[in-house]
Amino acid sequence: MERKKPVTERSVGRVEWAVVPSSIGPLLLAATDRGLVSVVFHADGRARERALERLAGALGGELVESASGRLAEPIRQLAAYFDGGLRSFDVKLDWTLVTGFNRQVLRELADGVPYGTVVGYGDLARRVGQPAAAQAVGAAMGSNPLPVVVPCHRVVESDGGIGGFGGGLETKRRLLALEGVLPEPLF
């Protein structure tokens, strides 16, 4: 499926996308020549169409369905992660869809919160030099265009609560169980 979009000042050129299966449901992945730019949960039917419309509007350029090329390595690494064989992603990331404080927080999360660990919203705020910004950290997690790869599922409430999650709380629980932070669900 090819979607042409006029080239604009913000255009990143060709954007390759694909929907891939995972243990938490279908994921839509998109990449520019700079790297992986988007991961979208529950990407079937209308959710996929909305995600592609948002990407076209935000990135400009041409959206081309392709599971090879730019997406081959992210797809391989995500499959290895969901199979339990990968603990750290090593793919180029395109940060075009996130700016300012949110980008700073997400970069710290990607670099400083390893597999199998969690961090509180307030702790993450302190790590980026904004100790009073726990709620803003929550907003940054909600705007994360690269979930799983930039592991916003590893951010929890300081009182031990699981916190919110754009992919749904069940998805967050399953990701934390995969990493050994929570027990596997009984059913």
Side-chain angles (χ1 to χ4, degrees), residues 8 22 29 40 46 64 68 71 77-79 85 91 95 99 110 121 134 144 156 168 184 186:
T8 66
S22 79
L29 308 179
V40 178
R46 185 66 188 128
V64 178
S68 60
L71 289 174
Q77 287 191 31
L78 278 162
V91 295
W95 294 95
T99 60
Y121 294 95
N144 181 4
V156 298
E184 288 289 336
L186 296 175

XYZ file of all heavy atoms in Angstrom, residues 8 22 29 40 46 64 68 71 77-79 85 91 95 99 110 121 134 144 156 168 184 186:
172
model
N 6.985 18.544 1.908
C 6.879 19.824 2.600
C 8.217 20.133 3.243
O 9.152 19.341 3.187
C 5.801 19.760 3.704
O 6.242 18.838 4.705
C 4.458 19.323 3.145
N 3.141 -9.771 17.168
C 3.917 -9.890 18.404
C 3.029 -10.557 19.442
O 1.820 -10.689 19.246
C 4.371 -8.509 18.901
O 3.309 -7.833 19.556
N 5.197 -0.620 12.548
C 6.517 -0.003 12.628
C 6.685 0.916 11.428
O 6.236 0.583 10.326
C 7.617 -1.058 12.597
C 7.523 -2.207 13.580
C 8.693 -3.159 13.386
C 7.479 -1.702 14.995
N 3.484 1.421 16.855
C 2.089 1.633 17.253
C 1.496 0.297 17.685
O 1.578 -0.688 16.948
C 1.265 2.230 16.082
C -0.195 2.399 16.472
C 1.866 3.556 15.624
N -8.872 -0.140 11.718
C -8.967 1.324 11.816
C -7.787 1.934 12.574
O -7.335 3.022 12.243
C -10.304 1.705 12.467
C -10.567 3.182 12.513
C -10.752 3.781 11.120
N -10.807 5.228 11.223
C -10.067 6.056 10.508
N -9.248 5.610 9.588
N -10.160 7.343 10.675
N 5.314 3.995 2.335
C 5.400 2.803 1.505
C 5.430 1.577 2.406
O 6.268 1.482 3.310
C 6.682 2.836 0.628
C 6.798 1.572 -0.192
C 6.687 4.072 -0.250
N 10.983 -5.048 4.493
C 12.421 -5.219 4.295
C 13.069 -3.841 4.324
O 12.468 -2.879 4.757
C 12.681 -5.932 2.966
O 12.150 -5.175 1.902
N 13.220 -1.511 7.721
C 12.545 -2.165 8.839
C 13.056 -3.569 9.148
O 12.686 -4.148 10.166
C 11.038 -2.211 8.575
C 10.347 -0.858 8.679
C 8.890 -0.975 8.265
C 10.456 -0.290 10.082
N 14.898 -7.510 15.603
C 15.165 -7.289 17.018
C 13.897 -7.371 17.867
O 13.929 -7.915 18.976
C 15.886 -5.955 17.221
C 17.330 -6.012 16.757
C 18.148 -4.821 17.182
O 17.912 -4.216 18.229
N 19.144 -4.468 16.371
N 12.782 -6.858 17.369
C 11.528 -6.979 18.124
C 11.110 -8.434 18.267
O 10.672 -8.860 19.343
C 10.421 -6.153 17.468
C 10.457 -4.670 17.848
C 9.655 -3.841 16.859
C 9.959 -4.462 19.269
N 11.260 -9.227 17.214
C 10.938 -10.658 17.301
C 11.822 -11.334 18.346
O 11.342 -12.136 19.162
C 11.102 -11.323 15.931
N 15.003 -13.449 23.754
C 16.423 -13.534 23.454
C 17.145 -12.203 23.314
O 18.351 -12.184 23.094
N 19.048 -0.322 17.426
C 18.591 0.152 16.126
C 18.683 1.674 16.119
O 18.566 2.322 17.161
C 17.138 -0.296 15.808
C 17.050 -1.798 15.666
C 16.152 0.209 16.834
N 14.168 10.651 16.041
C 13.459 11.344 17.116
C 12.587 12.492 16.593
O 12.141 13.337 17.363
C 14.455 11.863 18.140
C 15.177 10.776 18.871
C 16.403 10.250 18.570
C 14.719 10.059 20.019
N 16.728 9.258 19.467
C 15.713 9.127 20.360
C 13.558 10.117 20.789
C 15.591 8.257 21.445
C 13.435 9.261 21.869
C 14.442 8.338 22.195
N 10.012 16.272 20.811
C 10.927 17.405 20.989
C 11.046 17.789 22.458
O 10.312 17.287 23.309
C 10.421 18.639 20.210
O 9.132 18.997 20.705
C 10.355 18.385 18.719
N 15.549 5.501 27.460
C 16.153 4.533 26.535
C 17.564 4.147 26.966
O 17.949 2.982 26.870
C 16.167 5.102 25.119
N 8.149 7.667 38.036
C 8.009 8.916 37.284
C 8.864 10.015 37.910
O 9.576 10.739 37.211
C 6.534 9.358 37.246
C 5.637 8.434 36.468
C 4.919 7.435 37.108
C 5.500 8.568 35.097
C 4.074 6.587 36.404
C 4.659 7.716 34.378
C 3.959 6.729 35.042
O 3.131 5.895 34.327
N 7.265 15.165 37.755
C 6.793 13.789 37.616
C 5.584 13.694 36.690
O 5.501 12.782 35.865
C 6.469 13.192 38.984
N 5.240 9.005 23.759
C 6.352 8.208 23.236
C 5.979 7.589 21.886
O 5.119 6.709 21.828
C 6.714 7.108 24.239
C 7.873 6.247 23.789
O 8.488 6.476 22.758
N 8.165 5.221 24.582
N 6.919 3.337 36.370
C 5.831 2.979 37.280
C 5.663 4.055 38.349
O 6.498 4.947 38.492
C 6.097 1.601 37.940
C 6.154 0.488 36.895
C 7.379 1.621 38.756
N -2.427 0.251 26.852
C -3.346 -0.445 27.747
C -2.597 -1.125 28.878
O -1.459 -1.577 28.710
N 4.163 -13.942 35.411
C 3.340 -14.229 34.225
C 1.889 -14.369 34.665
O 1.617 -14.938 35.731
C 3.797 -15.529 33.545
C 5.119 -15.431 32.824
C 5.039 -14.586 31.549
O 3.945 -14.440 30.965
O 6.083 -14.068 31.156
N -1.742 -15.917 35.114
C -2.153 -17.309 35.252
C -2.993 -17.756 34.074
O -3.024 -18.931 33.743
C -2.929 -17.514 36.551
C -2.114 -17.262 37.827
C -3.007 -17.378 39.052
C -0.956 -18.245 37.902
